[in-house]
Amino acid sequence: MKKIVYFFIATLALASVAYAAESQIWGEMRIPNILGYGQEQSLKLGEFFTLWQGHYITTIFLGILILIPTVFGIHYLIIGPKTFSHEGKKILAFSLYSRIVHQIAAISFIVIVPTGFIMVFGSFFGGGEFVRICKDLHGVFTIPFAIVVIPMFLMWVKDMFIHLDDIKWLIIVGGYLSKVKNPVPAGRFNAGQKTWYWLATLGGIVMIATGATMFFMDFDIAMVKNITGLSQIDTLRAAAILHNLVGFAVVILFFVHIYMAVFAIKGAVQSIITGYMEEEEVKILHSSWYRKLKKQGKV
Amino acid sequence: MDYARMKFYCDEHRCIECDGCSVACAEAHELPVGISRRKVVTINEGIEGKEFSTSIACMHCTDAPCEQVCPVDCFYIREDGIVLHDKDKCIGCGYCLYACPFGAPQFPRDGAFGAKGAMDKCTMCAGGPLETNSKHERELYGQNRIAEGKVPVCAAMCSTKALLVGDAESIANIYRTRVSARGHGTVGVPYGWDKAYTK
């Protein structure tokens, strides 16, 4: 609760700093912004943004939205889901704390991702009130995610560093290309989960930072200027480009994450709800972790 | 039917930085505090021989970048080149500002949670997509002087006639006449036109 209060105060403080300062876009800075636009020695972010946003971003998102579910559909039809006995013993995989943190992030993503898509395809929805509400929800649901992203990073980080198992896992694509239930080389988290973890936490922080930049828009924070070395208008352009590029990756892996948890492994989603994984599931999909638990006498 | 191509031109040899255009615009359209569709800027301030003032607003660019990037397609370009937008469609994302070479689009903070409201910019006094000269159009976009056959208020009020607006050919003719009358300088592309109208 304290954290939420602090976050709120910090946000308001940031907002007031932003609005109290001389405008970085329409004030005196407007002159160098105009003079610098399209100059040879500049980064040409204005033109680059116009080209990307005008021609490619919507198409790429549409491609992702069609292609990824299609690939999953084919995978589901040809290889099908993995099913593990839900009758056997269960292993505690996620503590109550990690489940709560995960669920807050999950709820945020369930709102943020579709509302983001609605904005990308805003013209399809005709703009106006509906897309405007989605834009507001996209921002509001960033707040719970921003609160849990660092706790989520910290609670799993020790299990997320690369391991020899991960390379083996990647070579066989986690065993998802075969119907056979052979033990898959993976510790507590497999290479796929690790990739998603790093993208959701570090990439998530990039998404929060770039999104907040666009939301607050006209602010003057020396630290931001020192880090980026850009004028405010170019910072906004870079933020929009980055938000979309990292967005591609986040959206793809978010879809993968949902497919794995809900469809590809029957009942896998239960483990993040109850905290318990089926023993057989651990034995096959997280064989190295299973061996370790066995050695420790925990199973 | 052939339409004229409407353009803005501000003669930096004549602009005296009086801010009349900006005040006239704000008053005519009853703009809220914090929004100025037109702004007078001084470039190279203090550098002798290089200092000049000019008036900037939306230039109503050819192949307008704002129109290209808008995710809800709220922009539309009239046959005469005037770039307008639909505030009822606009979601206030800010993308048009990022694309604009002139920093023209502005955003009042009147949305939910202090979010950016619908974008506001110069309409070349041509209103918006609502019924011409309706109360609703006037409230959202300001006066529609073009529909009444009047010159946009900024250019009409310019005391030195530095700020001109009209069809491209007439503006170019005045520009050429002025340059040759001064007896120095070359007839190049008027300031700002390279970014707005070269495509």
Side-chain angles (χ1 to χ4, degrees), chain B residues 171-187:
Chain B
I171 300 290
N173 284 338
I174 295 171
Y175 171 73
R176 268 194 295 275
T177 315
R178 284 183 183 180
V179 172
S180 50
R182 273 198 298 270
H184 60 86
T186 48
V187 185

Side-chain angles (χ1 to χ4, degrees), chain A residues 123 128 132 135 214 216 237, chain B residues 71 88-89 91 98 116:
Chain A
S123 55
R132 218 171 286 144
K135 186 194 77 164
M214 291 190 280
F216 292 110
R237 287 163 178 158
Chain B
D88 291 322
K89 269 191 191 172
I91 58 166
Y98 311 164
K116 295 183 281 290

Side-chain angles (χ1 to χ4, degrees), chain A residues 124-199:
Chain A
F124 175 82
F125 294 97
E129 203 53 40
F130 173 66
V131 184
R132 218 171 286 144
I133 288 167
C134 288
K135 186 194 77 164
D136 291 336
L137 288 174
H138 195 75
V140 169
F141 277 80
T142 303
I143 297 170
F145 177 62
I147 293 166
V148 296
V149 66
I150 292 177
M152 188 162 79
F153 178 84
L154 294 175
M155 76 190 185
W156 282 330
V157 67
K158 67 174 186 345
D159 296 310
M160 292 297 181
F161 295 104
I162 194 161
H163 188 272
L164 191 63
D165 278 345
D166 299 330
I167 295 159
K168 293 185 202 151
W169 188 94
L170 284 169
I171 291 167
I172 59 163
V173 202
Y176 290 106
L177 298 183
S178 100
K179 291 180 182 183
V180 195
K181 277 202 257 178
N182 281 332
V184 173
R188 191 165 166 226
F189 295 104
N190 64 42
Q193 291 173 303
K194 286 179 183 178
T195 312
W196 173 229
Y197 164 85
W198 290 108
L199 186 71

